[in-house]
Every structure is written in C-alpha cells, then in structure tokens.
Amino acid sequence: MEPRKRPEYVLEVLADPTCVKDIVRGILHTIFFHRYFPSMRPSSLEVLDLTLPVVADPELETLIETRVGQLVRQLSSTSSPSGGSRGELGVRFFEKRRRKAGGLGGWLTGTGRSEEEICWEVWKLKITLTTPRTETERMTLLRAEAPALQKTAMTIVKIVNRDKEHIPPITTSETNPFPYEILLNPRAEYDGKSMGFFS
C-alpha cells in the first residue's frame, strides 16, 4: 500500500505589534477547532471585531499560549530598523499506528514502543510583524488586519471542508485520537517523529 501524501497548508499573516498575539492565537484556534476531534463545548474569541472559534481545552490552550508567547518574544527581539520581522509556527497532526512486526523491533534499540506517530497534516503560519512608523501607516495597517484575518479564517474553513480524504480513521477510544504539536520555526527543529518535515 502506498503511503498517503501529507498535505501542507501555508497561511501568510501580517500583523502589528499590538495585535500579533491575538491574531496568531485566533488562527491557531481556528485550525484546531476543525481538527480537534474529541467532544468539546464550543467557545469563541473576539479578535479585531471578528468572532473566531476556540477549543476550550486547558492543555491545548496552554500550548498555544506558550508558542505564541515564544513567537512574540522572537519577533520583538529580531525587529529590524525598518520596523519588520518574520517568524513561523508549524502545526502537525499525527495518527498513531502499530509498528510493523519484524525482527526484534524495539527490543534491541531499547525503544520498546509498539506504536509510531505518522504525520497526516501540516499547517505553516508565516508571520510578518510590521511596525508602522507614522500614525497614517498605523491606521492603514489596522484597517487591513481585520479583512486579512477574516480571509485567513475563511481559507482555513474552505481547506478543511474540501480536504478530508487524508484524515485517518479514528481507531482508538482515547480522548484525543490524533496527537499534535506546535513548533516555533519548524525548519530548525527535528524531533525524530517524521523525516522531511517542512523540507
């Protein structure tokens, strides 16, 4: 059986320092709202007069807050004299599969794991932080952010409604059948789960 091709979706985000945290949080929650399969009570977040969905899961919310905080600190520390900087967040969703039997498996390597995690979907958020130099630039950017955020949210909705064939079947009764991770600057990180992530 030929392995499924893992889709990768890229979302470009432009934000100013006062809104970047809320914009990125809103986008991440929108992705997870459509890819988080345990039963949940829907909640919402107001960002730039837009109402976005929120997954009210303490573990996920903590992870999102941590990664967004790391991103904002990185963007703030690398801001150029022209008033801009870039960062990237990657979101990966995995399915757990039983390892194929063969040989001594994890016995010799000491891993002893009978399951492996295979990435089935990747989202890249490429964030550009823009610091306006004048009040006119600031007002222009603020007027552009809400429509851009709405367009990004609608892009996510279109993608998740269109692309469903690659989602693996739920084969477990665990609360969350698909593990996930959020990485800051994912090109620089390799966690051993899946070769070629963002290559």
Side-chain angles (χ1 to χ4, degrees):
M1 185 169 129
E2 191 171 311
R4 286 184 289 235
K5 180 167 172 26
R6 161 186 80 217
E8 294 184 3
Y9 306 108
V10 178
L11 301 171
E12 300 276 345
V13 180
L14 179 67
D16 75 292
T18 61
C19 298
V20 66
K21 184 174 182 179
D22 289 336
I23 289 172
V24 175
R25 279 181 59 230
I27 292 169
L28 288 173
H29 272 289
T30 302
I31 292 168
F32 276 97
F33 183 80
H34 295 284
R35 290 298 190 238
Y36 191 79
F37 292 99
S39 60
M40 64 178 159
R41 174 179 234 143
S43 189
S44 63
L45 170 70
E46 295 291 324
V47 180
L48 301 173
D49 294 327
L50 295 172
T51 303
L52 299 173
V54 169
V55 175
D57 175 78
E59 184 179 323
L60 177 60
E61 288 184 84
T62 300
L63 179 60
I64 287 175
E65 288 300 320
T66 300
R67 291 297 182 264
V68 170
Q70 292 169 340
L71 173 72
V72 170
R73 282 190 297 280
Q74 174 199 314
L75 291 173
S76 299
S77 69
T78 60
S79 187
S80 71
S82 62
S85 60
R86 293 178 180 261
E88 189 172 317
L89 288 175
V91 178
R92 298 197 294 176
F93 294 96
F94 300 93
E95 71 171 306
K96 290 182 180 178
R97 285 192 193 159
R98 300 203 110 217
R99 287 193 187 270
K100 292 187 169 109
L104 299 173
W107 186 74
L108 287 177
T109 62
T111 60
R113 290 178 42 183
S114 62
E115 290 183 332
E116 63 182 333
E117 291 182 345
I118 307 296
C119 183
W120 57 268
E121 185 173 84
V122 176
W123 293 82
K124 298 180 194 179
L125 277 71
K126 295 185 176 189
I127 299 99
T128 302
L129 183 69
T130 302
T131 305
R133 293 182 297 257
T134 66
E135 185 62 25
T136 304
E137 286 180 4
R138 188 179 77 74
M139 293 307 294
T140 301
L141 182 59
L142 285 174
R143 280 194 298 274
E145 282 177 316
L149 178 58
Q150 183 175 21
K151 182 179 178 185
T152 300
M154 292 309 297
T155 298
I156 294 167
V157 170
K158 286 177 189 172
I159 289 169
V160 299
N161 284 330
R162 178 191 69 211
D163 299 351
K164 300 175 186 176
E165 308 80 39
H166 67 283
I167 300 173
I170 296 175
T171 59
T172 180
S173 59
E174 292 179 29
T175 306
N176 181 21
F178 302 122
Y180 54 83
E181 65 184 4
I182 303 172
L183 300 172
L184 178 63
N185 298 320
R187 291 178 203 267
E189 294 191 28
Y190 173 68
D191 63 354
K193 289 183 182 175
S194 177
M195 296 283 294
F197 175 56
F198 291 158
S199 54

